[in-house]
Amino acid sequence: MNLIEKSKKYLWLPFTQMKDYDENPLIIESGKGIKLKDINGKEYYDAFSSVWLNVHGHRKKELDDAVRDQLNKIAHSTLLGMTNIPATELAEELVKIAPDSLSRVFYSDSGAEAMEIAVKMAYQYWQNIGEPNKQKFISVQNGYHGDTIGAVSVGAIDIFHKVYGPLMFEGFKTSVPNVYRYPADAPAKCRDEALETLELLLKEHHEEIAGLTIESMVQGAGGMIVMPEGYLSGVRELCTKYNVLMIIDEVATGFGRTGKMFACEHEDVEPDLMAAGKGITGGYLPVAITYTTEKIYEAFYDDFTNLKTFFHGHSYTGNQLGCAAALANLQLFKKENITVQVARKSEYLHELFEEIIELPHIGDIRQLGFMCGIELVYDKERKEPFPFESRAAYKASLKMRELGLLTRPTGDVVVFMPPLASTEKDLKAMVEIMKKAIEIVTLEEAHQIAATHT
Ligand SMILES: *Cc1c(COP(=O)(O)O)cnc(C)c1O
């Protein structure tokens, strides 16, 4: 059996309809810089950073060396009741770069776990300080926080989450300020309405609400919805006013992705809890973190017999190889001035987008730093989507693959999240491929739809 046959026979891939995979299989063999190579030797731009992780490109010498050096000492020992060197050093570095409110780091292995932990900590915090009625969570419509049941319970993307309805714990959902879908082109009004909706909810229910979960500045999986200016800071004010913990999800946006170390810095927001992951190891190894304030930490600090301990942990929590990669990653952020570079290069990227926004089936392009979404529409004037069956963005991604670029859409939105190390030349080459693929596929789809209507 060759590798492709084996992959079809034995594997079940995440977030994948395997019928699609069987029709278009792909096996990556190696990577270098911002390119991936498959088993046939064909090369592709990694235009989605291997699902939003990669920072410095693949096989970055400093990261490779850090993992190898650590391997010469030890690969893993537990963090239950003890610690290790890289996990300890890394915690200090992570607190240095965090918003001022955050002073403690709790490790896990994935973004979903980091959010699950934040939710459990927020819940137990109120229990521990003698406010047992604060048990529920508010989350934002169309939000995504990962795929464990707790993370899904505070998520709200119907196409992923609806089927698990009966398994989820109940909570409140507040509206999302989606400027493109707002009737008038009025970001400030769209923001104010969303904040008013949230305030009504808080006014009525704050006594039973433990926390609010929210993606930082951009909803990622929900379609790269960039929040209007002043929204996140407005949410912070409301959480403070109504005594509700603000849990910010920086899993996608953290570590330079939006041109700041953390996206909440765009509005000087200081959360009570914050989850991060993805770019933390430069895209090398599974490490995630939940940051908390000292106040929350102290609510768990007591004699064991008072049972205030946070009873949560994972086998690979604080893994040495992962933490060593993360330490080297943070050193590279300093040495190569990554966040400033991303902020600068994203202006150039914005200029490239100006040239393609004119395409007949591109409705909107949303961008914050290197976190971008290109929304495809059937009728641009009326902002009418392609029919669900058409799968225009998926087909466009297959065409891009043919042309030497990998990405994955979310709904009708073509995702563009290149490695932060991508140069202006790389960005231009990638945008050109995307433009070409989108043009070919959308015209073909629109033509077919028009033909079946007559
Ligand atoms: C990817 C993502 C997660 C989940 O992270 P995993 O490491 O895939 O579990 C959570 N929140 C956001 C905003 C994400 O983009």
Coordinates of all heavy atoms in Angstrom, one line a residue, residues 409-453:
P409 N -10.6 27.5 4.1 CA -11.6 28.6 4.3 C -12.4 28.4 5.6 O -12.4 27.3 6.1 CB -12.5 28.5 3.1 CG -12.5 27.0 2.7 CD -11.1 26.5 3.1
T410 N -13.1 29.4 6.1 CA -14.1 29.2 7.1 C -15.4 29.7 6.5 O -15.5 30.9 6.2 CB -13.7 29.8 8.5 OG1 -14.8 29.7 9.3 CG2 -13.1 31.2 8.4
G411 N -16.3 28.9 6.2 CA -17.5 29.3 5.5 C -17.2 29.8 4.1 O -16.4 29.2 3.4
D412 N -17.7 31.0 3.8 CA -17.4 31.7 2.6 C -16.2 32.6 2.6 O -15.9 33.3 1.7 CB -18.6 32.6 2.2 CG -19.9 31.8 1.9 OD1 -19.8 30.6 1.4 OD2 -21.0 32.3 2.2
V413 N -15.4 32.5 3.7 CA -14.3 33.4 3.8 C -13.0 32.6 3.6 O -12.7 31.6 4.2 CB -14.3 34.0 5.3 CG1 -13.1 34.8 5.5 CG2 -15.6 34.8 5.5
V414 N -12.2 33.1 2.6 CA -10.9 32.6 2.4 C -10.0 33.2 3.4 O -9.9 34.4 3.6 CB -10.4 33.0 1.0 CG1 -8.9 32.7 0.8 CG2 -11.3 32.4 -0.1
V415 N -9.3 32.3 4.2 CA -8.5 32.7 5.3 C -7.1 33.0 4.8 O -6.5 32.1 4.1 CB -8.4 31.6 6.4 CG1 -7.3 31.9 7.4 CG2 -9.8 31.5 7.1
F416 N -6.5 34.1 5.1 CA -5.1 34.4 4.8 C -4.4 34.8 6.1 O -4.6 35.8 6.6 CB -5.0 35.5 3.8 CG -3.6 35.7 3.3 CD1 -2.8 34.7 2.8 CD2 -3.0 37.0 3.4 CE1 -1.5 34.9 2.4 CE2 -1.7 37.3 3.0 CZ -0.9 36.2 2.5
M417 N -3.6 33.8 6.6 CA -2.8 34.0 7.8 C -1.4 33.5 7.6 O -1.0 32.5 8.1 CB -3.5 33.3 9.0 CG -4.9 33.7 9.2 SD -5.5 34.1 10.9 CE -4.5 33.3 12.0
P418 N -0.6 34.3 6.9 CA 0.7 33.8 6.5 C 1.7 33.8 7.7 O 1.4 34.5 8.7 CB 1.2 34.8 5.5 CG 0.5 36.0 5.8 CD -0.9 35.6 6.3
P419 N 2.7 33.0 7.7 CA 3.7 33.1 8.8 C 4.2 34.5 9.0 O 4.3 35.2 8.0 CB 4.9 32.2 8.3 CG 4.2 31.2 7.3 CD 3.1 32.0 6.7
L420 N 4.4 34.9 10.2 CA 4.7 36.3 10.5 C 6.1 36.7 9.8 O 6.3 37.9 9.6 CB 4.8 36.5 12.0 CG 3.5 36.2 12.8 CD1 3.7 36.7 14.2 CD2 2.3 36.7 12.1
A421 N 6.9 35.7 9.5 CA 8.2 36.0 8.9 C 8.1 36.3 7.4 O 9.0 36.7 6.7 CB 9.1 34.8 9.1
S422 N 6.9 36.1 6.8 CA 6.7 36.3 5.3 C 7.2 37.7 4.9 O 6.9 38.7 5.6 CB 5.2 36.2 4.9 OG 4.7 35.0 5.4
T423 N 7.9 37.8 3.9 CA 8.4 39.1 3.4 C 7.4 39.8 2.5 O 6.4 39.1 2.1 CB 9.7 39.0 2.6 OG1 9.4 38.2 1.4 CG2 10.8 38.2 3.4
E424 N 7.6 41.0 2.1 CA 6.7 41.7 1.2 C 6.6 40.9 -0.1 O 5.6 40.8 -0.7 CB 7.1 43.2 1.0 CG 7.0 44.0 2.3 CD 7.1 45.5 2.1 OE1 7.6 45.9 1.0 OE2 6.8 46.2 3.0
K425 N 7.8 40.4 -0.6 CA 7.8 39.7 -1.8 C 6.9 38.4 -1.7 O 6.1 38.1 -2.6 CB 9.2 39.3 -2.1 CG 9.5 38.8 -3.5 CD 11.0 38.9 -3.9 CE 11.3 37.9 -4.9 NZ 12.0 36.6 -4.4
D426 N 7.1 37.7 -0.5 CA 6.2 36.5 -0.3 C 4.7 36.9 -0.3 O 3.9 36.2 -0.9 CB 6.5 35.9 1.1 CG 8.0 35.4 1.2 OD1 8.5 35.0 0.2 OD2 8.5 35.5 2.3
L427 N 4.4 38.0 0.4 CA 3.0 38.4 0.5 C 2.4 38.7 -0.9 O 1.3 38.2 -1.2 CB 2.9 39.7 1.4 CG 3.3 39.5 2.8 CD1 3.3 40.9 3.5 CD2 2.3 38.6 3.6
K428 N 3.2 39.3 -1.7 CA 2.7 39.7 -3.1 C 2.5 38.4 -3.9 O 1.4 38.3 -4.5 CB 3.8 40.6 -3.7 CG 3.3 41.2 -5.1 CD 4.3 42.3 -5.5 CE 4.1 42.8 -6.9 NZ 2.9 43.1 -7.4
A429 N 3.4 37.5 -3.8 CA 3.3 36.2 -4.5 C 2.1 35.4 -4.1 O 1.3 34.9 -4.9 CB 4.6 35.4 -4.4
M430 N 1.8 35.4 -2.8 CA 0.7 34.7 -2.2 C -0.6 35.3 -2.6 O -1.6 34.6 -3.0 CB 0.8 34.6 -0.7 CG 1.9 33.6 -0.2 SD 1.9 33.3 1.6 CE 3.0 34.6 2.1
V431 N -0.7 36.6 -2.5 CA -1.9 37.3 -2.8 C -2.3 37.2 -4.3 O -3.4 37.0 -4.7 CB -1.9 38.8 -2.5 CG1 -3.1 39.6 -3.0 CG2 -1.8 39.0 -0.9
E432 N -1.2 37.1 -5.2 CA -1.4 36.9 -6.6 C -2.1 35.5 -6.9 O -3.0 35.4 -7.7 CB -0.1 37.1 -7.4 CG -0.1 38.4 -8.1 CD 1.3 38.8 -8.5 OE1 2.1 37.9 -8.9 OE2 1.6 40.0 -8.5
I433 N -1.6 34.5 -6.2 CA -2.1 33.2 -6.4 C -3.6 33.2 -5.9 O -4.5 32.6 -6.6 CB -1.3 32.1 -5.6 CG1 0.1 32.0 -6.2 CG2 -2.0 30.8 -5.6 CD1 1.0 31.0 -5.5
M434 N -3.8 33.8 -4.7 CA -5.2 33.8 -4.2 C -6.2 34.5 -5.2 O -7.3 34.0 -5.4 CB -5.2 34.4 -2.8 CG -4.5 33.6 -1.8 SD -4.9 34.1 -0.1 CE -4.3 35.7 -0.1
K435 N -5.7 35.6 -5.7 CA -6.5 36.4 -6.6 C -6.9 35.6 -7.8 O -8.1 35.5 -8.2 CB -5.7 37.6 -7.0 CG -6.5 38.5 -8.1 CD -5.6 39.6 -8.6 CE -6.4 40.4 -9.6 NZ -5.6 41.2 -10.5
K436 N -5.9 34.9 -8.4 CA -6.1 34.1 -9.6 C -7.1 33.0 -9.3 O -8.1 32.8 -10.1 CB -4.8 33.5 -10.1 CG -4.8 33.0 -11.5 CD -3.3 32.7 -11.9 CE -3.3 32.0 -13.2 NZ -1.9 31.4 -13.5
A437 N -6.9 32.3 -8.2 CA -7.8 31.2 -7.9 C -9.2 31.7 -7.6 O -10.2 31.1 -8.1 CB -7.3 30.4 -6.7
I438 N -9.4 32.8 -6.9 CA -10.7 33.3 -6.6 C -11.4 33.7 -7.9 O -12.6 33.4 -8.1 CB -10.6 34.5 -5.6 CG1 -10.2 34.0 -4.2 CG2 -11.9 35.2 -5.5 CD1 -9.8 35.1 -3.2
E439 N -10.7 34.4 -8.7 CA -11.2 34.9 -10.0 C -11.8 33.7 -10.8 O -12.9 33.7 -11.2 CB -10.1 35.6 -10.8 CG -10.7 36.8 -11.5 CD -9.5 37.7 -12.0 OE1 -8.3 37.3 -11.8 OE2 -9.8 38.8 -12.5
I440 N -11.0 32.7 -11.0 CA -11.4 31.5 -11.8 C -12.6 30.8 -11.2 O -13.6 30.6 -11.9 CB -10.2 30.5 -11.9 CG1 -9.0 31.1 -12.7 CG2 -10.7 29.2 -12.6 CD1 -7.7 30.3 -12.7
V441 N -12.5 30.5 -9.9 CA -13.5 29.7 -9.3 C -14.9 30.5 -9.1 O -15.9 30.0 -9.5 CB -13.1 29.2 -7.9 CG1 -14.2 28.6 -7.1 CG2 -12.0 28.1 -8.1
T442 N -14.8 31.7 -8.7 CA -16.1 32.5 -8.5 C -16.8 32.7 -9.8 O -18.0 32.6 -9.9 CB -15.8 33.8 -7.7 OG1 -14.9 34.6 -8.4 CG2 -15.4 33.6 -6.3
L443 N -16.0 33.0 -10.9 CA -16.7 33.3 -12.1 C -17.4 32.0 -12.6 O -18.5 32.0 -13.1 CB -15.7 33.8 -13.2 CG -15.2 35.3 -12.9 CD1 -14.2 35.7 -13.9 CD2 -16.4 36.2 -12.9
E444 N -16.6 30.9 -12.5 CA -17.2 29.6 -12.9 C -18.5 29.3 -12.1 O -19.5 28.9 -12.7 CB -16.2 28.5 -12.5 CG -15.9 27.5 -13.6 CD -14.6 26.7 -13.3 OE1 -14.7 25.9 -12.3 OE2 -13.6 26.9 -13.9
E445 N -18.4 29.4 -10.8 CA -19.6 29.1 -9.9 C -20.8 30.1 -10.3 O -21.9 29.6 -10.4 CB -19.2 29.3 -8.4 CG -18.4 28.2 -7.9 CD -19.0 26.9 -8.0 OE1 -20.2 26.7 -7.5 OE2 -18.4 26.0 -8.6
A446 N -20.5 31.4 -10.4 CA -21.5 32.3 -10.7 C -22.2 32.0 -12.0 O -23.4 32.1 -12.2 CB -21.0 33.7 -10.6
H447 N -21.4 31.6 -12.9 CA -21.9 31.3 -14.3 C -22.8 30.1 -14.2 O -23.9 30.1 -14.8 CB -20.7 30.9 -15.2 CG -21.0 30.8 -16.6 ND1 -21.3 31.8 -17.4 CD2 -21.1 29.6 -17.4 CE1 -21.6 31.3 -18.6 NE2 -21.5 30.0 -18.6
Q448 N -22.4 29.1 -13.4 CA -23.3 27.9 -13.3 C -24.6 28.2 -12.6 O -25.6 27.7 -13.0 CB -22.5 26.8 -12.5 CG -21.9 25.8 -13.3 CD -21.3 24.7 -12.5 OE1 -21.7 24.5 -11.4 NE2 -20.4 23.9 -13.1
I449 N -24.5 29.0 -11.5 CA -25.7 29.4 -10.8 C -26.7 30.2 -11.7 O -27.9 29.9 -11.8 CB -25.4 30.3 -9.6 CG1 -24.6 29.4 -8.6 CG2 -26.6 30.8 -8.9 CD1 -23.9 30.2 -7.5
A450 N -26.1 31.1 -12.5 CA -26.9 31.9 -13.4 C -27.6 30.9 -14.5 O -28.7 31.1 -14.8 CB -26.1 32.9 -14.1
A451 N -26.8 30.0 -14.9 CA -27.3 29.0 -15.9 C -28.5 28.2 -15.4 O -29.4 27.9 -16.1 CB -26.2 28.1 -16.4
T452 N -28.4 27.7 -14.2 CA -29.5 26.9 -13.6 C -30.7 27.7 -13.3 O -31.8 27.2 -13.2 CB -29.0 26.1 -12.3 OG1 -28.4 27.1 -11.4 CG2 -28.0 25.0 -12.7
H453 N -30.5 29.0 -13.2 CA -31.7 29.9 -12.9 C -32.5 30.3 -14.1 O -33.6 30.8 -14.0 CB -31.2 31.2 -12.2 CG -30.9 31.0 -10.7 ND1 -30.6 32.0 -9.9 CD2 -30.9 29.8 -10.0 CE1 -30.4 31.4 -8.7 NE2 -30.6 30.2 -8.7

